[in-house]
DNA sequence: GTCTTAATGGTTGTACGCAATCTTTAAGGG
DNA sequence: CCCTTAAAGATTGCGTACAACCATTAAGAC
């Protein structure tokens, strides 16, 4: 049945579409592609050495992920979420993460605990020196947690939501607010092991409030025209 | 910048793809297309009087919705979730609905309250006579609730999840267990108006436990080989 | 008779081309 | 000078054709 003499490597990855999709996603999350910018199918196709068909498919998928906006007969644009939409995304993330800890608390295997503590160590290592790496690891921690639930749907939703959070933070967050507090991660692990659902939930809630609130709510809140102009008006005195 | 003088009418609906998508979704949820059945692009295209391109696109989207499974180089199939996967979907739904009531409790406008009570009346009307209509209305109730949150992401996720629940129920549920208890819906509305988050949450949790548990967990639970065989063994005495 | 291997049929993966639509630019009238 | 209207340009929407791949069946060897 199986044909092991095939390519020794993996399934060769699901063809070009996915490759383009991941590449674009990375570019968007890292803000190499600014929010609101146009994404013509032609250009993308040429860039990746493929035809419009592939580019189009990748864009469609990214659209359902919420990273690009698709306007009928007008084309694709990098998503440009408003602050309100951004808050919505964080609200959903909080709820999803709450589901994660609810299912994990008290149910961690020793293997899983070891994995988490290992990740924590890596986070601490990276915290002092490598900014980009630290941010990446902080995200991985949350992804690892949800993967441990084994709930495929939950994994998909939270993965998607987290990447959207990254986009929102990139737009409205300050340059590099250390997204996650490592100490908070440690406390969460401890509470999970202890099996205290309520405590873990509130810890996670607090943790995400920190992330969202610190970086998102404070800074360029609404930035209404009046506010901007009044701050300039002061200079006229 | 904005061009309000555009077409006065609606956006004319987003082209054929969505139409095919909607039609297929309906067919799958209503079990007109049995789980596991093949969905060749050609056939679908011909059925809807369009080309493979459209069919393919619709299938892709339904795949991310979880209603069809896409096997590389092999084609599309109507999703055939295992009982475990089905349970996962219900777990996620519970979590999402919990988010809904958390945001709605105590924040309903009089307009919204009126809408909900109107829906309740319709449910009661349909309950006695029209089965299919009753089931549809029961689903609408939950959809209406999430729409009232105004959180687009939450709306998308829960809509998707609810349709997947329908598929699961169609597969593993008994013929037509009345999916939702109307009385339970009434209690939920009351608790929402009262603004009692905890009570609403537990009501909703209980409500969905009823739906899932009654129709899904009891009946063909695991059905391990031993169980089946032992029940046959009795006949040999 | 069974296993291996080749050939065939069918379906997906991808590229490309034409038509439809939107945007922009240019021209004309008030 | 501005606004309205027409034409040109560019991009998406969609169909179709060919190539790649998988599954099945047929043929051959042991």
């Amino acid at each position: 049945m199986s044909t092991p003499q095939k390519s020794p490597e993996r399934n060769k990855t699901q063809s070009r579409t996915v490759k383009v999709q991941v590449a674009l996603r990375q570019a968007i999350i890292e803000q190499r592609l600014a929010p609101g910018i146009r994404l013509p199918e032609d250009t993308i196709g040429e860039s990746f050495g493929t035809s419009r068909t592939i580019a189009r498919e990748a864009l469609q998928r990214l659209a359902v992920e919420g990273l690009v906006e698709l306007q009928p007969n007008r084309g694709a644009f990098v998503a440009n979420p408003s602050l309100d939409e951004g808050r919505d995304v964080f609200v959903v993330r909080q709820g999803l993460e709450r589901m994660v800890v609810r299912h994990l608390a008290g149910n961690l295997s020793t293997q899983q605990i070891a994995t988490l503590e290992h990740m924590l160590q890596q986070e601490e290592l990276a915290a002092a020196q490598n900014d980009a790496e630290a941010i990446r690891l902080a995200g991985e921690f949350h992804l690892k947690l949800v993967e441990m639930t084994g709930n495929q749907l939950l994994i998909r939703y939270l993965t998607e939501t987290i990447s959207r959070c990254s986009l929102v933070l990139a737009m409205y967050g300050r340059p590099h607010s250390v997204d996650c507090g490592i100490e908070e991660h440690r406390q969460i692990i401890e509470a999970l092991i202890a099996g205290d659902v309520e405590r873990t939930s509130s810890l996670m809630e607090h943790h995400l409030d920190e992330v969202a609130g610190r970086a998102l709510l404070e800074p360029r809140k609404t930035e209404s025209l009046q506010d901007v102009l009044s701050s300039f008006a002061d200079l006229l005195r």
Side-chain angles (χ1 to χ4, degrees), chain A:
Chain A
M1 189 65 71
S2 63
T3 56
Q5 81 280 20
K6 266 297 170 52
S7 58
E9 44 184 337
R10 285 296 166 199
N11 202 357
K12 197 179 184 174
T13 189
Q14 191 184 5
S15 128
R16 266 141 289 193
T17 302
V18 177
K19 267 195 234 168
V20 176
Q21 184 184 8
V22 240
L24 281 179
R25 176 170 26 204
Q26 197 70 15
I28 292 174
I29 291 178
E30 291 182 2
Q31 288 243 293
R32 306 283 297 274
L33 294 173
I37 203 178
R38 283 207 53 158
L39 298 173
E41 299 172 355
D42 272 341
T43 311
I44 294 174
E46 287 169 19
S47 302
F48 288 99
T50 169
S51 90
R52 273 181 51 209
T53 309
I54 305 297
R56 187 182 176 81
E57 223 165 275
L59 287 173
Q60 298 259 143
R61 297 198 194 180
L62 288 170
V64 315
E65 285 184 35
L67 292 183
V68 322
E69 190 178 345
L70 232 48
Q71 297 185 22
N73 279 319
R74 294 208 2 109
F77 303 78
V78 175
N80 197 359
S82 69
L83 202 59
D84 277 337
E85 290 170 326
R87 261 189 282 262
D88 280 356
V89 176
F90 269 95
V91 165
V92 170
R93 173 166 177 183
Q94 269 194 339
L96 292 174
E97 299 260 18
R98 203 193 319 261
M99 295 173 62
V100 171
V101 300
R102 191 180 297 267
H103 291 109
L104 250 40
N107 294 325
L108 287 177
S109 69
T110 53
Q111 173 67 50
Q112 291 173 323
I113 293 175
T115 302
L116 290 176
E117 286 177 342
H118 179 65
M119 295 194 70
L120 209 54
Q121 284 179 10
Q122 285 188 310
E123 283 192 66
E124 283 167 348
L125 271 174
Q129 37 187 348
N130 194 334
D131 257 17
E133 182 75 355
I135 291 178
R136 197 185 59 79
L137 283 172
E140 293 263 328
F141 177 79
H142 289 266
L143 287 179
K144 206 66 180 179
L145 278 182
V146 69
E147 278 170 17
M148 286 179 176
T149 67
N151 188 322
Q152 287 307 120
L153 185 56
L154 188 53
I155 291 173
R156 192 166 78 71
Y157 282 170
L158 190 48
T159 304
E160 209 176 282
T161 303
I162 287 178
S163 72
R164 287 180 75 161
C165 283
S166 299
L167 176 63
V168 173
L169 281 178
M171 286 182 64
Y172 298 104
R174 40 190 65 157
H176 270 166
S177 54
V178 185
D179 287 358
C180 287
I182 294 181
E183 186 50 39
E184 293 168 356
H185 281 187
R186 174 172 301 287
Q187 290 178 352
I188 288 172
I189 293 181
E190 284 170 6
L192 277 178
I193 296 174
D196 186 339
V197 176
E198 274 321 307
R199 175 145 175 275
T200 319
S201 287
S202 68
L203 273 174
M204 180 61 88
E205 189 164 352
H206 172 70
H207 176 51
L208 291 173
D209 273 343
E210 282 294 307
V211 176
R214 178 170 34 185
L216 199 136
L217 296 181
E218 287 179 15
R220 336 178 183 167
K221 170 183 206 172
T222 15
E223 273 290 298
S224 77
L225 188 57
Q226 287 95 334
D227 294 339
V228 178
L229 293 184
S230 70
S231 69
F232 276 93
D234 286 333
L235 298 178
L236 296 184
R237 306 267 170 113

